[in-house]
Amino acid sequence: MKRRTLGLACLLLAMLVGMTAWVSAQEPVTLIWSFWGDPNELPPNYQVIEAFEAAYPYIKIETQHAPWSSYFDRIQTQMAGGTAPDVMFLNNIPSYAARGALMPLDDLIAKSGFDIEPYYDELLKIFKYKDVIYGFPRDNDTTILYYNKDLFDAAGVDYPDGTWTWTEFLDAAQKLTVRDERGRITQYGVVLESNKYFNFIHQNGADIFDDNLNPTRFTLDDPKAIEALQFMGDLINKYEVAPSFAQMLQLGNSTELFQTGRVAMAMTNAARIPTFQQASFRWGVAPLPAGPTGIRANSMSGAGYVISANTKHPEEAWTFLQFLCGVEGQTIFASTGVAVPAYRSDQTRDAFVSALPEGFGEIFLEDTEYGKIPPLFDGWVELNTTVVNPALDLLFIGEATAEEVVAMMKPDVEEFLAKRNQ
Amino acid sequence: MARAEQSYPPPRPSAVRRREIWAGYGFLTPNLIGFLIFTLLPVLAALALSFTEWDLIRPIQWVGLRNYIRLLTNDPTFIKVLRNTTFFVLVTVPLRMVLALLVALVLNQNLRGTMFFRTAFFMPVVSSAVAVALVWQWIFHADFGPLNSILWMLGVSNPPNWLTSTKWALPALMIVSVWQGIGFNMVIFLAGLQGIPEQLYEAARIDGATGWHCFWKITLPMLSPTTFFVLVITTISSFQVFDLAVIMTEGGPANATNTIVYHIYRNAFQFFRMGYAAAIAWFLFVVIFILTLIQFRYQKNWVHYDL
């Protein structure tokens, strides 16, 4: 009797120990993943979670969502309190990496053999700080020329065919600008975006710094850069085919202006497609026009995913990041058609192309190959906000020439560079 | 007075009185705790922070007076926002007061429809700042805005570009701010006006005073405590102008509408310079504090509290 009890107890104990071992191997971990986005940008995030949790049942993903306008304040505060989400959607990676908020990924990449080859080299550069990788892009912010076919037809202008340079572009924009009897513009030829001015500079074979990630020299005073800026200024103030950015605060942004048929062409990214698909007119997309000497250039930038330096679950966070940024996650994002894949593979390409109307996807992907990165380094946001943009404002509202505004910003930018490179 | 108190120390309060004192503090406690935790403590923390460098993540570094030195010697944007804000205060404070007083005087008459107009003038105060800013953005539109359409009809061939010119953007914000601020001041003035005893006017009229005399000799002096209060409050709130600049112009074009508080916000939450932002905030605090002290110091020359 006694022996039987003992035996039973032993058995129970063994079972208990066994169960504990099993449980600890599968100890569920909850990761917090934060992102911003409009309601129509969110569904792919939840698809990723569903697919990931199915593949890794012991990791649970909790989301933290905030709109763009309040997202960064919240993340800042959480970083300060050491409670940042484990995995974050973020931009301006170097400025966070410089402050030690992000986990360096080089060792993890080496250990796990995660393949980084498929990423655009140029794009991966903005996820590095001091040559160490801190994250991976979700997509590329490829800018494309959207055009309103109805307005083109009404003005008798041929659709952009991919061979346009600035000359044909300006010519079309002029024909597509309409004024009322009092001379007020009721329809603009084109709408630009203020944070894309470097596309024009790149298309003219110039740049803002000698190296946009580790600048030592300010090169915006190159006559070619000045010519590009002046071309933008002229579109707004001389030819009057585009609204100034200050005016767009009143009129509406590029998406709103194009969607309501108040401009014939817009230069913006793929995220606008779902909105434009609700428009009541026919429209198409074309590559950005090339510079006067035929140089093509597009934007190469984009937000991406990083791991917090303070995460309590680095292993699981890395597992999730690989899924998110690897072929599985990237295919899900690409299949929405609003995210130009940053990861080159047959799967992502097919997913993206088949999500869009026929012929659109190829144009995005082809122009992405001409992507060039804008300036991005620790301190750029401040330099841009306090020195570069206020000066450019004067050009874009027509109160100064490109040459004058570059001369205006040059001493301050050079002082900043001198301090930075001490 | 002071000497009298010294020679006759107040008698020990009675038990009833003491209980009342404790009850008084009891009622004050919730508010006091709120004030300590959410106002005084952060203000003092900001003072301490202003002598440091902190980007929210890396450890806080003591830098002594460096933030203040940079503020006064090496921040061109700060000079610009200081100039903008001062100009804004100098123009809007008098306008917000004089116009509010005029409106209050008119609406203090027993005329038909005063209730309606009082409500109408107070509407901007209770309207959402964002909605207000968006509507005004449209009013100011250079080509299609109603304001320029009116100017055009009046024969102004080249009306200002308002929000898209460095010359007119700040005046445009001032117009909105004045429009927005009149209602609140008007209500305070109305309350003040209604506190002036009617007999004073009757007596004056018997002595043959005109309406003009009554205004200068009775209304203004009797209203002076109210005017003083309005002056102090309006000055402080004008220095803190922020929301209009953010929504209507984003501080632009070319910093033409950038303000001190917007500069504080940008330094703290866009450039991660918490210490520097705190230094600017304290600079603003000291400026407002000194101005308020001056106003209190000189009030005895023009403010009359006795009947």
Side-chain angles (χ1 to χ4, degrees):
Chain A
M1 180 70 178
K2 221 174 190 176
R3 196 178 289 163
R4 239 170 68 194
T5 322
L6 197 70
L8 206 70
C10 280
L11 193 72
L12 265 171
L13 197 72
M15 271 173 69
L16 249 166
V17 170
M19 269 174 72
T20 332
W22 181 77
V23 167
S24 69
Q26 294 287 318
E27 176 111 51
V29 168
T30 302
L31 294 176
I32 297 177
W33 175 30
S34 68
F35 45 80
W36 70 82
D38 301 334
N40 62 6
E41 287 179 67
L42 300 181
N45 291 336
Y46 298 110
Q47 284 174 44
V48 167
I49 293 175
E50 207 177 301
F52 177 76
E53 286 181 342
Y56 299 88
Y58 65 97
I59 306 181
K60 213 181 126 26
I61 307 292
E62 256 177 35
T63 62
Q64 175 188 313
H65 169 254
W68 166 269
S69 52
S70 60
Y71 181 82
F72 296 95
D73 289 353
R74 181 157 181 204
I75 293 284
Q76 296 294 336
T77 319
Q78 289 178 317
M79 283 177 173
T83 58
D86 302 285
V87 176
M88 293 173 275
F89 192 34
L90 216 55
N91 60 5
N92 291 321
I93 308 302
S95 67
Y96 294 94
R99 296 151 67 205
L102 312 180
M103 182 191 276
L105 302 178
D106 279 9
D107 292 345
L108 293 164
I109 295 168
K111 233 191 293 171
S112 62
F114 182 67
D115 189 9
I116 63 169
E117 274 305 304
Y119 289 101
Y120 294 96
D121 278 346
E122 187 81 355
L123 186 51
L124 211 47
K125 280 184 191 167
I126 62 175
F127 286 83
K128 289 180 188 174
Y129 174 69
K130 295 195 168 157
D131 273 338
V132 175
I133 296 180
Y134 283 88
F136 295 101
R138 180 191 71 176
D139 58 347
N140 185 52
D141 193 22
T142 309
T143 309
I144 217 79
L145 184 71
Y146 291 87
Y147 61 96
N148 183 322
K149 288 184 176 171
D150 288 0
L151 296 182
F152 268 70
D153 290 347
V157 180
D158 290 336
Y159 299 155
D161 56 3
T163 63
W164 276 17
T165 66
W166 290 358
T167 320
E168 290 82 19
F169 164 68
L170 171 61
D171 186 48
Q174 282 178 302
K175 288 178 184 150
L176 289 158
T177 301
V178 178
R179 291 168 180 274
D180 68 5
E181 69 288 348
R182 243 173 69 183
R184 301 179 299 187
I185 297 169
T186 52
Q187 175 190 313
Y188 281 99
V190 65
V191 57
L192 311 167
E193 289 186 348
S194 61
N195 57 356
K196 299 280 173 61
Y197 63 86
F198 36 80
N199 279 343
F200 285 92
I201 294 168
H202 290 152
Q203 284 157 6
N204 211 25
D207 216 326
I208 301 162
F209 297 101
D210 54 343
D211 176 346
N212 281 340
L213 298 171
N214 296 294
T216 60
R217 217 156 41 77
F218 181 59
T219 55
L220 206 57
D221 54 352
D222 173 346
K224 281 191 204 139
I226 290 177
E227 190 185 37
L229 287 175
Q230 191 60 53
F231 179 68
M232 286 183 78
D234 287 348
L235 288 175
I236 297 166
N237 300 301
K238 183 176 164 190
Y239 305 116
E240 297 184 313
V241 296
S244 72
F245 305 115
Q247 221 190 349
M248 282 161 66
L249 282 174
Q250 298 166 271
L251 286 176
N253 61 28
S254 55
T255 312
E256 291 155 359
L257 286 172
F258 185 78
Q259 198 207 357
T260 50
R262 285 180 290 166
V263 299
M265 294 182 278
M267 290 178 171
T268 186
N269 63 22
R272 310 292 161 242
I273 292 176
T275 311
F276 293 163
Q277 276 171 338
Q278 293 160 19
S280 56
F281 51 81
R282 295 172 304 122
W283 53 275
V285 296
L288 293 185
T293 57
I295 300 174
R296 293 180 65 178
N298 206 307
S299 12
M300 178 120 303
S301 72
Y305 299 107
V306 297
I307 300 178
S308 160
N310 286 328
T311 178
K312 290 192 187 70
H313 310 288
E315 299 236 335
E316 289 81 2
W318 172 238
T319 306
F320 181 53
L321 197 78
Q322 288 179 79
F323 188 89
L324 198 56
C325 303
V327 71
E328 299 96 335
Q330 290 279 314
T331 305
I332 293 174
F333 287 118
S335 68
T336 60
V338 297
V340 181
Y343 187 97
R344 280 171 296 189
S345 69
D346 292 345
Q347 272 164 284
T348 49
R349 187 187 168 85
D350 292 348
F352 181 68
V353 168
S354 58
L356 290 180
E358 189 157 357
F360 279 26
E362 290 83 353
I363 291 174
F364 275 98
L365 291 169
E366 197 216 322
D367 229 33
T368 305
E369 299 291 332
Y370 297 97
K372 291 198 75 164
I373 48 171
L376 191 66
F377 45 84
D378 191 19
W380 165 246
V381 175
E382 181 172 1
L383 185 67
N384 196 28
T385 312
T386 58
V387 176
V388 180
N389 275 335
L392 287 178
D393 274 357
L394 294 175
L395 167 68
F396 296 143
I397 60 175
E399 291 187 11
T401 65
E403 203 173 347
E404 286 163 356
V405 303
V406 171
M408 221 178 278
M409 64 177 95
K410 195 177 170 187
D412 290 333
V413 177
E414 287 184 337
E415 192 192 323
F416 172 88
L417 289 183
K419 254 191 233 158
R420 185 176 190 272
N421 295 320
Q422 253 169 24
Chain B
M1 258 308 253
R3 197 174 296 153
E5 268 169 26
Q6 269 171 14
S7 41
Y8 302 104
R12 208 177 129 75
S14 70
V16 176
R17 179 90 187 101
R18 252 179 300 159
R19 218 180 305 136
E20 277 176 352
I21 290 175
W22 282 115
Y25 281 119
F27 282 117
L28 275 177
T29 313
N31 201 348
L32 270 183
I33 291 178
F35 172 76
L36 286 177
I37 297 179
F38 295 112
T39 306
L40 191 62
L41 205 68
V43 167
L44 293 178
L47 179 63
L49 207 56
S50 72
F51 300 102
T52 67
E53 209 175 281
W54 187 38
D55 64 9
L56 285 174
I57 296 171
R58 275 180 288 210
I60 300 184
Q61 253 187 337
W62 183 263
V63 294
L65 286 172
R66 201 162 75 194
N67 287 329
Y68 290 96
I69 293 169
R70 172 166 183 233
L71 182 68
L72 298 173
T73 61
N74 196 19
D75 184 356
T77 314
F78 176 69
I79 305 297
K80 176 86 185 161
V81 300
L82 188 61
R83 219 185 302 147
N84 287 345
T85 312
T86 311
F87 184 35
F88 185 89
V89 170
L90 287 178
V91 175
T92 58
V93 171
L95 282 179
R96 276 164 72 173
M97 292 183 63
V98 172
L99 292 178
L101 179 59
L102 282 178
V103 173
L105 285 171
V106 172
L107 295 185
N108 197 36
Q109 312 297 320
N110 279 326
L111 302 172
R112 276 169 66 114
T114 44
M115 272 318 281
F116 169 78
F117 283 107
R118 283 180 196 179
T119 315
F121 276 102
F122 198 70
M123 281 293 264
V125 182
V126 288
S127 305
S128 137
V130 177
V132 160
L134 290 176
V135 171
W136 276 96
Q137 246 178 2
W138 179 245
I139 294 177
F140 281 125
H141 187 272
D143 286 338
F144 297 101
L147 181 58
N148 274 4
S149 292
I150 294 170
L151 289 176
W152 198 79
M153 280 191 288
L154 292 176
V156 183
S157 60
N158 198 9
N161 281 336
W162 298 111
L163 299 179
T164 58
S165 96
T166 48
K167 204 162 88 194
W168 289 101
L170 192 57
L173 291 202
M174 289 172 180
I175 292 174
V176 185
S177 159
V178 169
W179 172 84
Q180 218 178 11
I182 286 179
F184 181 77
N185 289 353
M186 173 202 73
V187 168
I188 312 277
F189 275 130
L190 268 176
L193 286 172
Q194 290 176 356
I196 302 176
E198 191 55 33
Q199 311 93 281
L200 292 179
Y201 293 106
E202 281 164 18
R205 251 176 255 127
I206 290 169
D207 289 345
T210 61
W212 192 241
H213 275 119
C214 288
F215 175 72
W216 282 108
K217 301 289 180 190
I218 301 172
T219 313
L220 269 193
M222 292 301 291
L223 202 59
S224 56
T226 311
T227 313
F228 176 66
F229 172 76
V230 171
L231 173 69
V232 171
I233 296 289
T234 310
T235 309
I236 293 175
S237 74
S238 285
F239 265 105
Q240 295 172 339
V241 53
F242 171 68
D243 44 3
L244 288 178
V246 174
I247 306 159
M248 291 180 64
T249 54
E250 294 180 356
N255 281 331
T257 57
N258 204 347
T259 66
I260 298 182
V261 177
Y262 199 7
H263 195 50
I264 294 173
Y265 169 78
R266 277 190 169 157
N267 271 286
F269 295 104
Q270 292 186 345
F271 315 148
F272 314 129
R273 295 182 184 277
M274 289 296 156
Y276 189 55
I280 310 174
W282 262 85
F283 178 89
L284 178 61
F285 173 74
V286 168
V287 167
I288 292 178
F289 189 74
I290 290 176
L291 279 177
T292 310
L293 271 187
I294 293 175
Q295 288 169 347
F296 269 92
R297 173 77 183 72
Y298 284 96
Q299 61 158 318
K300 64 167 179 256
N301 298 343
W302 61 279
V303 179
H304 311 274
Y305 287 102
D306 37 74
L307 270 176

